[in-house]
Amino acid sequence: WLSFSNDTEMLAGYFVLHLMCAFKNSDVLLLEGVWCVYRTIKAFVLGQKIKATAIRDHGLRLLTDFVLHLLPLGLGQDIAHPTPLQQSAQERPDFYLPFRELAPCHWRATSEDSPYHPSLNSESGAFASWCIFRALIYDSDVMHNHTTRYFCNLEAWTTFLNAQGYNADDQASVDRFFNIACYGRPQVRTKVYDTEVKWQKLLEGHAEEGRQKPVPFKEFYLWLQGKKELPDNLKLPLLGNLTAYLLATDVSYTGKVQPPTASDMGFAIHRIGKGSYKALKLLNLLLKEDKHTMSEVEDAFSCVYAHLQANIPTEHHCNGPLPVY
C-alpha cells in the first residue's frame, strides 16, 4: 500500500470496477444505492475520511458537466453522434433538458394561439387555459400532438374535447387526454373556469395607482394551493405542491407573477420534498439524516445556483441571468 494514491475519485472508481466484476453486469450501476455509496465512500484503507466538502465539490462539477452536456440540444445545435444521455434527452426533451425555457412544450405554450402568448395572456379564459395545460393535459398525447392552445371559456374547451372524440367511459380515450403518471388523478370537469374571478381579484390586490404589479412568486404559489391565510384562495383538486410550483413558474414568464428567487426555490423544494430535495442530499449539501429546515434547503439550493451561475458560460444564459428554475 506504500505510495497508493489517496485520490478520492480514483478510490470511488475502483469501487465501481469491483462492483461490476462482482456482479458481472453493468446494470448494477443503475441502482441508486450504488451512487450513494460512490459519493460517500470512506477511505479507511488509507487511514483517512473523505471530507464532505470534497464530495460536494465533486458533485457540483458533475452537475455542471451534465448541464453543459445537454445544453447543445436545447440550443438547437446539431449533434452528429449523440451520447446515450443525449439520446435520452432527445426522446423526452420536456423532462430531461436542463432548462425548462428551452423545452419544446414551453415554445409551443408561448406560440401565437397559446394562452401564454402576450396577445392572449390577459384575456378572459387565459388563467383557466393555463390550468388545463399544466394540471390536466400536460405530457399527454393530446398535448404533444394536438394542442397547447387558449380556450376562451368552458364551451370552447368542451367543444375541443368533443371534436377530439373524448369518451370518459373509455380508458384508452382518458389515457390519450390525461397522463395519469404525470401529476395526479385526471379530472376533466375540474371547475377551472370558475377561478377567473378569483384570479382577477388577486391581480387587483397588486395594482397600484392603476398600474399592475406582478404577484410575488411565493404568494402566488401558496394561493394556488388554497392556503387559508391568503384571501380568495383557489382549492383546485389537481394543484398539489409540485403542480402548483410548475404552474407558478409557467405564469412567471408572462410577467404577471414575479420570477422565483433562489430563496423562493428553496422554499418550494423544501415543501415538495421530492427529486430536487434528494439531489441536494446526494450533493452533500444537506448532511443531516433527519428532516432539514427550510433555511437549510434554501442555503443548499443557493450554493448550487451560485456554482452553476459561475461555471456555465455566459452565452448559455439565455439572454440574461441564469434562471433559478
Side-chain angles (χ1 to χ4, degrees):
W1 293 98
L2 293 177
S3 302
F4 185 83
S5 172
N6 63 358
D7 182 83
T8 57
E9 294 182 15
M10 181 177 290
L11 187 66
Y14 278 124
F15 167 74
V16 169
L17 287 174
H18 179 74
L19 270 188
M20 292 178 64
C21 291
F23 283 87
K24 296 181 173 56
N25 189 336
S26 62
D27 288 348
V28 67
L29 301 183
L30 298 176
L31 298 175
E32 182 178 349
V34 169
W35 297 106
C36 290
V37 176
Y38 171 82
R39 289 178 176 84
T40 59
I41 187 169
K42 302 294 188 294
F44 290 121
V45 70
L46 302 176
Q48 64 180 29
K49 290 187 178 181
I50 299 174
K51 295 181 179 179
T53 53
I55 300 172
R56 181 201 65 192
D57 293 344
H58 178 57
L60 288 172
R61 289 198 301 272
L62 290 176
L63 178 62
T64 304
D65 291 343
F66 166 79
V67 171
L68 292 174
H69 190 63
L70 292 184
L71 262 178
L73 296 177
L75 297 174
Q77 298 175 8
D78 292 329
I79 300 177
H81 304 288
T83 66
L85 177 60
Q86 290 171 331
Q87 288 177 339
S88 295
Q90 286 175 327
E91 292 169 3
R92 298 192 73 188
D94 289 326
F95 276 76
Y96 295 133
L97 283 181
F99 300 132
R100 66 203 315 266
E101 69 273 15
L102 301 179
C105 76
H106 170 73
W107 293 110
R108 294 181 61 207
T110 54
S111 60
E112 289 186 2
D113 63 343
S114 296
Y116 292 101
H117 191 270
S119 65
L120 294 173
N121 63 35
S122 295
E123 297 296 319
S124 175
F127 181 79
S129 296
W130 299 337
C131 292
I132 288 172
F133 168 72
R134 177 55 69 179
L136 290 177
I137 65 173
Y138 188 77
D139 198 39
S140 68
D141 175 73
V142 165
M143 189 212 79
H144 285 301
N145 298 303
H146 297 283
T147 190
T148 53
R149 63 178 240 227
Y150 160 73
F151 300 100
C152 62
N153 53 34
L154 180 59
E155 182 180 0
W157 167 238
T158 304
T159 299
F160 171 76
L161 290 177
N162 294 335
Q164 288 292 321
Y166 176 73
N167 182 357
D169 297 322
D170 180 0
Q171 189 58 49
S173 177
V174 172
D175 291 343
R176 180 170 164 265
F177 277 79
F178 309 105
N179 181 0
I180 193 171
C182 208
Y183 302 125
R185 187 178 176 185
Q187 300 183 46
V188 184
R189 297 302 177 185
T190 296
K191 297 180 179 179
V192 290
Y193 284 91
D194 293 347
T195 63
E196 289 286 332
V197 174
K198 290 186 176 183
W199 166 239
Q200 291 304 320
K201 284 184 178 179
L202 181 66
L203 291 177
E204 290 168 6
H206 290 274
E208 194 173 282
E209 298 180 353
R211 181 184 176 190
Q212 183 63 59
K213 299 179 68 177
V215 181
F217 181 88
K218 185 176 177 180
E219 178 183 341
F220 183 62
Y221 175 51
L222 292 173
W223 180 80
L224 285 171
Q225 297 173 73
K227 298 307 161 186
K228 293 181 180 179
E229 62 268 24
L230 296 172
D232 296 312
N233 46 37
L234 281 183
K235 295 186 179 177
L236 287 174
L238 286 184
L239 297 189
N241 285 331
L242 177 58
T243 309
Y245 158 73
L246 293 168
L247 179 57
T249 48
D250 288 342
V251 180
S252 71
Y253 288 113
T254 68
K256 299 182 184 301
V257 169
Q258 293 176 1
T261 63
S263 177
D264 290 334
M265 285 297 300
F267 173 82
I269 291 170
H270 181 268
R271 192 175 184 85
I272 296 167
K274 299 293 184 182
S276 297
Y277 179 77
K278 294 178 181 178
L280 292 175
K281 294 184 72 173
L282 285 174
L283 287 172
N284 250 46
L285 291 166
L286 296 172
L287 298 176
K288 296 187 307 185
E289 289 300 324
D290 54 345
K291 192 170 183 179
H292 297 84
T293 66
M294 191 179 304
S295 177
E296 288 172 332
V297 176
E298 289 177 359
D299 290 344
F301 177 79
S302 295
C303 176
V304 173
Y305 177 66
H307 179 85
L308 291 176
Q309 180 79 26
N311 288 279
I312 293 180
T314 54
E315 61 265 26
H316 294 327
H317 286 194
C318 307
N319 303 317
L322 193 69
V324 298
Y325 38 66

